[in-house]
Amino acid sequence: MGILEGKNGLIFGVANERSIAWHIAQHAAEHGATCAFSHLPGEKMEARVRKTLGKGGLDEAWLHPCDVSSDDDLDALFEAYGKDHGALDFVVHSVAYADREYLKPGTFVDTPRDVFAQSLDISAYTLIAISRRAIPFMKPGGSILALTYYGAEKAAAGYNVMGVAKSALESTARYLAAELGERGIRVNSLSAGPVRTLSSMAVGGIDTILKKVEASAPLRRNIETAEVGKSAVYLLSDLSSGVTGETHHVDAGYNAIVT
Ligand code: NAD
């Protein structure tokens, strides 16, 4: 029996085969979970996500469009999920956005109000919006997981407004954990080391960050995205039943040392 056997999960954030959400989904499915997915609206995006799911043998997986910045989209998604599934054991929030114009080293001070608000909305507030709609389907033992990065804790060149959004996301996860604990629902953040994805390539300093981690992390390398998938399975499963409100680093130990 897989450790997620019989569990149903809803995963936000698969864009392509590089996506962290996709690596989490593959590992969750390997461990027995039934995964459902949302994708950014649009025919092209749907086709790309379908193709990705197909490569992992998940052609038949439940898939629904949702722009997480839209309350109407979120309502429609959860209504459809409720009709088709009804039960939810875990949710993965692997979604973030910031205008790449302001993800360049030296541009943080220029961040306009609307860029800041949009980034915080899509990358942090949506954890509340999604959790609120998910809890009616979740039984005690449910697990909600959000993807974050070390730039929430320390200023990382070029990460800029996204770092502020990640700080808000990690704090949001702790407040949700405090409130949802009495329902037996756990909420954690997984802080992944840098990996090359569509989103991370928008961060101006990504190459410098990758090189720095490789040179100085305790494991002397960058992480594989699959390693995020493996650790996520632990956080989504009953193996971590006593863990909530935690930010779990999967970063080759980078956060543990002074660089
Ligand atoms: P990705 O580009 O594959 O995934 C980001 C996802 O966010 C995409 O699927 C995109 O469609 C979705 N998204 C953006 N705006 C949306 C909206 N309004 N509505 C619905 N979906 C929307 O990149 P990724 O690196 O896999 O990112 C996943 C998560 O992991 C993000 O939260 C990111 O910040 C975090 N993270 C990434 C890294 C890294 O180095 N790649 C490190 C730590 C944390």
Side-chain angles (χ1 to χ4, degrees):
M1 281 263 288
I3 53 176
L4 290 174
E5 203 67 51
K7 303 229 185 231
N8 291 291
L10 179 54
I11 298 181
F12 291 82
V14 175
N16 59 27
E17 287 158 58
R18 284 177 179 247
S19 295
I20 290 176
W22 174 234
H23 288 261
I24 293 174
Q26 281 177 292
H27 280 84
E30 261 173 40
H31 285 276
T34 300
C35 296
F37 299 87
S38 82
H39 67 85
L40 205 54
E43 277 175 28
K44 261 191 183 168
M45 189 55 92
E46 181 177 353
R48 201 205 286 168
V49 174
R50 262 287 166 228
K51 195 172 154 205
T52 302
L53 300 183
K55 288 196 174 160
L58 299 181
D59 322 57
E60 302 297 316
W62 191 89
L63 179 64
H64 203 279
C66 180
D67 178 339
V68 294
S69 67
S70 157
D71 283 331
D72 289 347
D73 274 21
L74 284 167
D75 286 342
L77 174 89
F78 277 95
E79 197 188 325
Y81 185 87
K83 276 187 191 144
D84 297 344
H85 284 268
L88 191 52
D89 299 286
F90 64 83
V91 174
V92 175
H93 178 287
S94 190
V95 165
Y97 179 80
D99 184 338
R100 63 188 303 157
E101 199 52 36
Y102 299 94
L103 298 180
K104 294 175 191 156
T107 61
F108 181 62
V109 75
D110 299 319
T111 312
R113 192 184 296 265
D114 60 338
V115 168
F116 186 95
Q118 184 188 36
S119 179
L120 272 281
D121 177 33
I122 294 178
S123 314
Y125 172 73
T126 54
L127 184 62
I128 301 175
I130 288 170
S131 298
R132 184 167 65 248
R133 290 166 173 88
I135 51 178
F137 302 109
M138 294 184 101
K139 296 188 290 285
S143 173
I144 297 172
L145 183 64
L147 270 295
T148 185
Y149 173 62
Y150 189 48
E153 300 167 55
K154 305 282 177 200
Y159 204 57
N160 299 359
V161 66
M162 189 56 79
V164 181
K166 291 302 188 191
S167 298
L169 180 73
E170 291 178 15
S171 179
T172 297
R174 284 189 289 272
Y175 275 92
L176 286 170
E179 225 169 83
L180 303 186
E182 63 187 14
R183 297 172 188 252
I185 296 171
R186 301 181 294 109
V187 187
N188 291 292
S189 303
L190 191 162
S191 185
V195 287
R196 287 185 195 279
T197 62
L198 262 183
S199 292
S200 69
M201 297 326 280
V203 177
I206 183 70
D207 288 332
T208 315
I209 292 171
L210 283 161
K211 277 188 198 136
K212 203 167 171 201
V213 172
E214 190 176 353
S216 51
L219 295 180
R220 300 293 188 276
R221 63 172 176 84
N222 280 291
I223 59 155
E224 302 282 339
T225 318
E227 294 177 304
V228 179
K230 288 193 286 184
S231 295
V233 166
Y234 155 74
L235 288 167
L236 298 175
S237 77
D238 296 339
L239 288 181
S240 60
S241 57
V243 180
T244 195
E246 181 74 338
T247 300
H248 179 75
H249 294 83
V250 181
D251 65 349
Y254 188 75
N255 77 94
I257 52 149
V258 177
T259 54

